[in-house]
Amino acid sequence: MTPEAMAAFTGAAVEAVREASRQGRLASRTDLLAALETGGAALAPVGLAPEDQLPPPGDRDTLLAAVLAAAPGIFAFQSLSGQTVYHDPDVLSRTYARILDSKGSPLLLMAEEIRINSRDYPRPVPLELFEAPPFELPPQDIEQALRVMAADAAFQDITFTLTATGAVYLFSTLHLERGYAAFLAQRAESLAMNP
């Protein structure tokens, strides 16, 4: 590839990641290669001949990975699917990207979110959080995930507390003591009822 073609390829790849981020999606290299091959419009304005627009098919994935690894403002991580996925954290936050990646596994999504909230903030999370955006899990998926957590030793730290109104708050005993979690849940409930 000529230097001009390489610059056009890099710019088009970065723009494809940013466009996916603007649409609230993570971009895999497979998605990006398909977008670059079918949407050559991003490469055409620089006046390149079609044969100069993309590297040979066997080299595209490797080149794309290298280009995106060096691109400022583009973040990559290993997806639960095993693929490397990309996003622009200025458009799509790392937290939201992680949630998008985990949506296919409600059990892991819920467990991770409960543990992160217990560890980092520290606070228990209301059960209904998982029905709201950005999670938007159906009630049956939430119920199934809670059943699995209750029976699986890998999730023995995930438990719950009830507030005086009967609201369920989930927390991790690795990061919060039961009494403190109950206090925080009751306080959160009181603040919600008395804004």
Side-chain angles (χ1 to χ4, degrees):
M1 280 179 85
T2 64
E4 295 82 12
M6 185 62 173
F9 179 77
T10 299
V14 168
E15 183 52 35
V17 171
R18 290 192 172 125
E19 180 58 30
S21 293
R22 284 190 286 273
Q23 294 174 7
R25 297 183 296 108
L26 299 172
S28 70
R29 284 201 302 268
T30 304
D31 298 336
L32 295 170
L33 286 171
L36 289 170
E37 289 173 7
T38 59
L43 301 174
V46 294
L48 299 175
E51 62 273 9
D52 289 334
Q53 290 181 6
L54 291 172
D59 298 337
R60 291 176 188 168
D61 188 58
T62 303
L63 179 62
L64 183 61
V67 161
L68 293 175
I74 301 299
F75 184 75
F77 67 94
Q78 190 78 21
S79 170
L80 289 177
S81 68
Q83 294 184 24
T84 301
V85 291
Y86 301 88
H87 70 100
D88 179 349
D90 289 341
V91 178
L92 185 82
S93 75
R94 291 179 184 183
T95 300
Y96 191 71
R98 182 184 48 76
I99 290 168
L100 286 176
D101 183 49
S102 300
K103 274 191 169 184
S105 176
L107 174 68
L108 295 177
L109 174 63
M110 289 177 64
E112 184 175 3
E113 199 61 34
I114 292 164
R115 287 175 177 147
I116 287 171
N117 274 271
S118 293
R119 180 191 68 221
D120 294 351
Y121 296 111
R123 65 181 176 210
V125 295
L127 180 61
E128 69 259 8
L129 171 77
F130 296 106
E131 291 181 15
F135 305 102
E136 299 171 328
L137 295 175
Q140 62 272 18
D141 288 356
I142 295 170
E143 186 178 323
Q144 176 63 25
L146 291 173
R147 271 199 295 272
V148 171
M149 281 187 223
D152 190 331
F155 302 101
Q156 68 182 0
D157 64 300
I158 307 270
T159 190
F160 69 95
T161 186
L162 293 173
T163 64
T165 62
V168 176
Y169 280 75
L170 302 162
F171 67 97
S172 168
T173 58
L174 295 175
H175 308 291
L176 286 175
E177 293 179 8
R178 178 168 293 284
Y180 188 48
F183 164 76
L184 291 172
Q186 191 61 51
R187 187 176 76 174
E189 190 79 358
S190 295
L191 290 173
M193 292 170 57
N194 299 305

